């Protein structure tokens, strides 16, 4: 029977060999954390390699994702669909083993990690999800939701501010099934961290309300196992194991130094490692006794089969709960969703109210929320301003895990990464809100949501200089364009109550990527529509106001500027102009429509166009063309009442009319 050290050395060997073959990668962390990984994966982690999506599996998050070969090695050894050829193709084009773990690319990878600290926050979201679902669905004798979230982390993750945000909230919420193993090796890319990271990590986590296990020898398998047993026994606090390790353990000439962090060891040093650790096998060769000891397929099948039997009994006793749980975990909406949504939107249209779209968003939550038990969300200390608390909101607290509303505190980045963890866990539609200008704080979490293609929902209010007196620090200008630039990020900026309701409907139905919902602080007018126009809102852009015959001018606008465009159109029509107004609440959705529809909204033959949006204008030229005009804002705002700021910066109906007159005169002269 192989020793624990032999089993851990399989990770060390595979990791250093794969990095060497790729001539790229990070061998130090996998070699330093191999003993910890061996104990966790073989003695504690509950999973089924033959069904990576089994609902009740433990979640494992490699927050220090640069050490990806540790995870790939463990997945291969335990029996996931990660072959030796995949390991040999580490960091190569099209392989299952990219440089950092990528969700959806490699079986068993729970989240995309690499940007340090975010894996920790994802894990917090996963632990919130487990605790919430357990409180909602478990019944005496039927723990159908009962799993842990484990996260590996290093010095870099704990330096990143997002780790402070997330871990503070985790302690407050008493997430007892969250266990972090901290690789305390004292090394980062620049060398020994004593020059820039002297935090007392143990005290820091104690102050957060975590259970702290100090001074664990990360190379002593028995010590790690004892610490994990203690961690699992603590039900009212998350636990951090502070594990002392040597980076690149086993490398006689490089261990303990930054030289092992992000570069291959070299053939000579790898030979020395083999001799040092007693690994006599060629590259990418695992002896059968070691492979058999690692194989997790049989115990994985048994664990899932036991759970399936339990769930079958649960379904017999609690059929409605079981059906709802299964629907949620499958990511499906309720059977009557479409009828409910259409009825709600019809009611919104009948109300014909003028209000801020943030208030319209709150009304949509009140309309859709009662039929969506999976809806969970909150705000980064702006609940009243964002309008995210609806009539059915039930606040989650340390001793009340079964609610649906989270006060995230002033933690925009942490909130957004936690939302990603909730979404990744499954069973939730997760939303979080702040002011649009503060999306900058959270941008990398938004980027990762888009990269993973997961349907996290980011709600942003106070969407322009129209918010007024708080001034340029709070007035977003570049943010709409910036969010639209993220590949895979959908963005809706509705103009009134009906568009807000449709935006929420399409967001709740979306499963293939994140959405940014952007709403006003100030009131905006209701726009009358017929049934066809309401239906076409879902297509991202549509004709809101038309003229008889072919238009000579098209005005395109979003959000609060739609009302301004409509006012300008009325003035231009009074002058006898043929004007069409296009509302385009979602440019990315409009761009995905077929050519025929897009051309029906924006006829190619009508090149006299003006786009209006209270933000940087650059991206709008693809809709108006070289001969068109964009009325936007290419500077920061002012502290004054919103209408005054709009007038001062020239986003007015009068400006649109003047620009339209000049544009039409230019066209007339060209054809004279």
């Amino acid at each position: 029977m192989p020793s624990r050290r032999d089993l851990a050395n399989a990770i060390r060997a595979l990791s250093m060999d794969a990095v060497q073959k790729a001539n790229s990668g990070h061998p130090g962390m996998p070699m330093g954390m191999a003993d910890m990984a061996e104990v966790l994966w073989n003695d504690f982690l509950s999973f089924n390699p033959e069904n990576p999506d089994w609902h009740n599996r433990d979640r494992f998050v490699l927050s220090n994702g640069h050490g990806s070969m540790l995870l790939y090695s463990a997945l291969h050894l335990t029996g996931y669909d990660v072959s030796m050829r995949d390991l040999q193709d580490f960091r190569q084009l099209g392989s299952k083993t990219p440089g950092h773990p990528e969700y959806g690319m490699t079986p068993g990878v729970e989240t995309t990690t690499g940007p340090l600290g975010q894996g920790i926050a994802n894990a917090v979201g996963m632990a919130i999800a487990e605790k919430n679902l357990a409180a909602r669905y478990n019944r005496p004798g039927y723990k159908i939701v009962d799993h842990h979230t484990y996260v590996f982390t290093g010095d870099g993750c704990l330096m990143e501010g997002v780790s402070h945000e997330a871990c503070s909230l985790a302690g407050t919420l008493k997430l007892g099934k969250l266990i972090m193993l901290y690789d305390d090796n004292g090394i980062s890319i620049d060398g020994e961290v004593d020059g820039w990271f002297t935090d007392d990590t143990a005290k820091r986590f104690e102050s957060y309300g975590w259970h702290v296990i100090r001074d664990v020898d990360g190379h002593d398998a028995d010590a790690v196992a004892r610490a994990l047993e203690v961690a699992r026994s603590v039900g009212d606090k998350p636990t951090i194991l502070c594990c002392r390790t040597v980076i690149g353990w086993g490398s006689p000439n490089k261990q303990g130094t930054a030289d092992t962090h992000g570069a291959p060891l070299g053939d000579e040093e790898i030979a020395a490692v083999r001799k040092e650790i007693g690994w006599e096998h060629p590259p990418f060769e695992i002896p059968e006794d070691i492979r058999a000891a690692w194989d997790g397929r049989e115990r994985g099948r048994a664990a899932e089969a036991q759970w399936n039997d339990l769930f079958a009994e649960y379904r017999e006793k609690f059929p409605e709960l079981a059906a709802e749980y299964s629907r949620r975990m499958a990511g499906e909406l309720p059977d009557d969703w479409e009828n409910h949504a259409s009825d709600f939107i019809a009611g919104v249209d009948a109300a014909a109210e003028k209000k801020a779209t943030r208030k319209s968003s709150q009304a949509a939550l009140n309309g859709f929320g009662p039929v969506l038990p999976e809806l969970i969300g909150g705000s980064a200390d702006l609940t009243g301003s964002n309008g995210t608390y609806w009539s059915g909101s039930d606040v989650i607290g340390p001793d009340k895990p079964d609610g649906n509303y989270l006060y995230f505190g002033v933690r925009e980045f942490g909130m957004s990464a936690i939302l990603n963890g909730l979404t990744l866990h499954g069973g939730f539609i997760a939303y979080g809100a702040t002011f649009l200008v503060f999306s900058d704080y959270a941008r990398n979490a938004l980027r990762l949501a888009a990269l993973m293609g997961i349907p996290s929902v980011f709600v942003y209010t106070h969407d322009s200089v129209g918010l007024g007196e708080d001034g340029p620090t709070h007035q977003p200008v570049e943010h709409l364009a910036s969010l639209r630039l993220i590949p895979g990020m959908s963005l809706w900026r509705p103009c009134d109550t009906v568009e807000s309701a449709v935006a929420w409907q399409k967001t709740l139905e979306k499963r293939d990527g994140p959405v940014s919902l952007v709403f006003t602080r100030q009131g905006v007018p209701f726009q009358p529509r017929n049934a066809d126009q309401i239906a076409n809102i879902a297509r991202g852009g549509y004709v809101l106001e038309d003229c008889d015959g072919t238009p000579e001018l098209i005005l395109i606008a979003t959000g609060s500027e739609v009302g301004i465009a409509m006012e300008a159109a009325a003035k231009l029509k009074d002058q006898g102009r043929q004007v069409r107004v296009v509302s385009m609440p979602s440019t990315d959705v409009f761009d995905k429509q077929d050519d025929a529809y897009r051309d029906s909204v924006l006829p190619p033959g009508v090149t006299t166009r003006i786009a209006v949006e209270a933000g940087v204008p650059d991206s709008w030229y693809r809709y108006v063309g070289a001969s068109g005009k964009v009325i936007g804002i290419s500077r920061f705002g002012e502290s004054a009442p919103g209408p005054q700021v709009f007038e001062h910066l020239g986003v007015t109906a009068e400006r649109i009319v003047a620009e339209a007159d000049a544009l039409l005169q230019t066209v007339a002269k060209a054809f004279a």
Side-chain angles (χ1 to χ4, degrees):
M1 178 70 183
S3 68
R4 282 192 177 279
R5 179 56 52 79
D6 289 334
L7 299 179
N9 284 342
I11 290 180
R12 293 188 170 98
L14 289 172
S15 296
M16 68 180 183
D17 288 339
V19 170
Q20 187 66 29
K21 186 175 186 299
N23 196 30
S24 174
H26 301 77
M29 185 281 261
M31 296 173 72
M33 297 191 80
D35 297 297
M36 298 154 63
E38 186 279 320
V39 173
L40 178 64
W41 280 75
N42 286 325
D43 289 5
F44 292 92
L45 204 65
S46 180
F47 59 94
N48 183 3
E50 296 174 334
N51 182 12
D53 298 324
W54 171 39
H55 295 172
N56 202 45
R57 68 191 182 278
D58 289 335
R59 270 59 170 181
F60 174 78
V61 175
L62 190 76
S63 189
N64 42 354
H66 56 271
S68 56
M69 269 309 303
L70 178 146
L71 178 53
Y72 299 148
S73 298
L75 293 171
H76 168 75
L77 291 166
T78 52
Y80 283 82
D81 184 18
V82 179
S83 69
M84 188 64 79
R85 171 55 61 187
D86 293 325
L87 300 188
Q88 292 171 330
D89 287 343
F90 178 55
R91 289 187 163 226
Q92 303 310 300
L93 184 65
S95 77
K96 286 185 183 178
T97 51
H100 291 80
E102 302 282 0
Y103 173 77
M105 184 175 291
T106 313
V109 170
E110 300 284 0
T111 181
T112 294
T113 55
L116 295 178
Q118 286 196 71
I120 293 174
N122 295 163
V124 171
M126 293 174 188
I128 292 171
E130 190 278 340
K131 190 172 183 179
N132 182 276
L133 289 170
R136 285 190 176 213
Y137 293 103
N138 287 355
R139 294 295 181 268
Y142 295 93
K143 287 188 174 182
I144 62 164
V145 182
D146 184 17
H147 53 266
H148 287 78
T149 302
Y150 296 95
V151 55
F152 272 17
T153 187
D155 293 305
C157 287
L158 296 186
M159 286 185 236
E160 286 285 0
V162 68
S163 74
H164 297 251
E165 296 181 23
C167 292
S168 172
L169 185 60
T172 298
L173 294 178
K174 299 181 179 180
L175 302 178
K177 288 187 175 178
L178 174 62
I179 299 175
M180 182 188 301
L181 290 87
Y182 164 40
D183 182 27
D184 183 10
N185 62 32
I187 296 291
S188 66
I189 293 175
D190 281 348
E192 296 182 8
V193 301
D194 286 347
W196 51 86
F197 183 53
T198 57
D199 300 17
D200 188 326
T201 298
K203 285 185 178 178
R204 169 185 157 191
F205 276 81
E206 284 174 349
S207 75
Y208 291 155
W210 284 55
H211 174 229
V212 177
I213 303 178
R214 300 168 181 253
D215 298 321
V216 179
D217 183 346
H219 300 301
D220 182 337
D222 292 336
V224 174
R226 287 193 298 270
L228 284 169
E229 289 284 8
V230 173
R232 287 166 58 92
S233 72
V234 176
D236 61 347
K237 294 181 179 181
T239 296
I240 180 171
L241 280 63
C242 298
C243 300
R244 291 175 287 103
T245 64
V246 176
I247 191 172
W249 187 95
S251 175
N253 301 303
K254 295 186 177 183
Q255 68 178 18
T257 72
D259 291 342
T260 69
H261 172 85
L265 297 179
D267 291 333
E268 186 175 332
E269 186 66 13
I270 285 177
V273 173
R274 279 184 155 76
K275 183 176 180 180
E276 180 76 13
I277 68 177
W279 188 264
E280 300 175 352
H281 317 290
F284 302 107
E285 183 176 302
I286 304 296
E288 285 305 314
D289 59 342
I290 290 178
R291 186 174 293 282
W294 266 101
D295 194 339
R297 288 173 291 187
E298 183 176 347
R299 59 188 169 93
R301 283 194 295 269
E304 184 175 356
Q306 184 178 12
W307 183 85
N308 286 338
D309 290 343
L310 179 68
F311 191 74
E313 293 181 23
Y314 178 84
R315 185 185 289 111
E316 288 288 327
K317 296 197 74 168
F318 309 103
E320 292 183 2
L321 285 175
E324 183 178 274
Y325 171 81
S326 296
R327 178 188 65 76
R328 288 179 57 172
M329 293 304 291
E332 298 171 352
L333 292 170
D335 290 339
D336 61 346
W337 167 255
E338 289 187 10
N339 290 334
H340 180 86
S342 60
D343 289 347
F344 173 70
I345 290 168
V348 171
D349 182 55
E353 292 179 278
K354 174 182 178 179
K355 61 170 68 172
T357 55
R358 62 174 174 153
K359 295 294 186 182
S360 300
S361 169
Q362 188 173 40
L365 286 169
N366 276 305
F368 296 133
V371 299
L372 295 173
E374 58 265 52
L375 191 64
I376 187 170
S379 168
D381 202 50
L382 290 168
T383 291
S385 297
N386 295 147
T388 44
Y389 191 95
W390 56 283
S391 60
S393 290
D394 185 16
V395 177
I396 294 171
D399 302 309
K400 191 187 181 307
D402 60 341
N404 61 8
Y405 195 84
L406 283 157
Y407 288 115
F408 284 102
V410 188
R411 300 181 177 105
E412 294 89 356
F413 192 2
M415 172 185 72
S416 302
I418 288 169
L419 293 178
N420 288 343
L422 279 159
T423 302
L424 287 160
H425 180 279
F428 294 94
I429 298 172
Y431 68 93
T434 185
F435 290 167
L436 178 58
V437 75
F438 300 138
S439 64
D440 281 347
Y441 281 135
R443 185 173 178 85
N444 204 256
L446 274 61
R447 183 178 187 272
L448 287 189
L451 179 61
M452 290 187 279
I454 60 173
S456 298
V457 181
F458 305 103
V459 178
Y460 299 117
T461 68
H462 296 59
D463 70 342
S464 74
V465 297
L467 68 88
E469 291 85 346
D470 278 333
T473 62
H474 283 52
Q475 291 170 0
V477 175
E478 72 275 27
H479 298 76
L480 291 168
S482 176
L483 290 174
R484 289 183 182 126
L485 284 174
I486 300 175
M489 173 66 72
S490 188
L491 184 144
W492 287 84
R493 187 177 184 237
C495 77
D496 68 357
T497 54
V498 177
E499 284 193 2
S500 297
V502 173
W504 262 110
Q505 177 197 1
K506 303 315 292 184
T507 296
L508 294 168
E509 292 172 355
K510 187 174 173 61
R511 289 292 177 270
D512 59 352
V515 180
S516 292
L517 291 169
V518 182
F519 301 110
T520 68
R521 178 201 182 200
Q522 72 274 22
V524 291
F526 173 83
Q527 303 296 338
R529 301 171 183 83
N530 60 36
D532 288 341
Q533 289 173 310
I534 293 174
N536 284 334
I537 294 171
R539 305 188 78 164
Y542 64 103
V543 178
L544 177 62
E545 172 79 9
D546 214 353
C547 56
D548 296 328
T550 302
E552 58 180 325
L553 173 71
I554 299 176
L555 303 180
I556 311 167
T558 77
S560 52
E561 289 75 76
V562 170
I564 297 173
M566 290 290 283
E567 183 182 345
K571 294 177 183 292
L572 288 164
K573 286 187 174 185
D574 286 344
Q575 298 176 6
R577 298 294 191 181
Q578 295 286 91
V579 182
R580 170 180 290 185
V581 178
V582 171
S583 178
M584 196 176 289
S586 180
T587 59
D588 60 277
V589 173
F590 179 74
D591 290 345
K592 291 175 183 175
Q593 304 305 307
D594 58 80
D595 291 346
Y597 179 77
R598 293 200 313 270
D599 290 348
S600 73
V601 175
L602 298 174
V606 182
T607 59
T608 311
R609 304 176 183 181
I610 298 176
V612 189
E613 187 173 71
V616 293
D618 305 54
S619 63
W620 284 101
Y621 284 99
R622 61 186 171 136
Y623 298 106
V624 301
S627 60
K629 179 74 178 179
V630 180
I631 296 175
I633 300 174
S634 296
R635 49 153 290 184
F636 297 118
E638 298 283 352
S639 179
Q644 292 181 24
V645 180
F646 268 110
E647 183 173 1
H648 178 71
L649 297 178
V651 184
T652 63
E654 290 73 20
R655 166 86 181 281
I656 296 172
V657 170
E659 295 287 358
D661 285 340
L663 201 57
L664 290 166
Q665 288 175 18
T666 299
V667 171
K669 288 178 181 178
F671 287 94

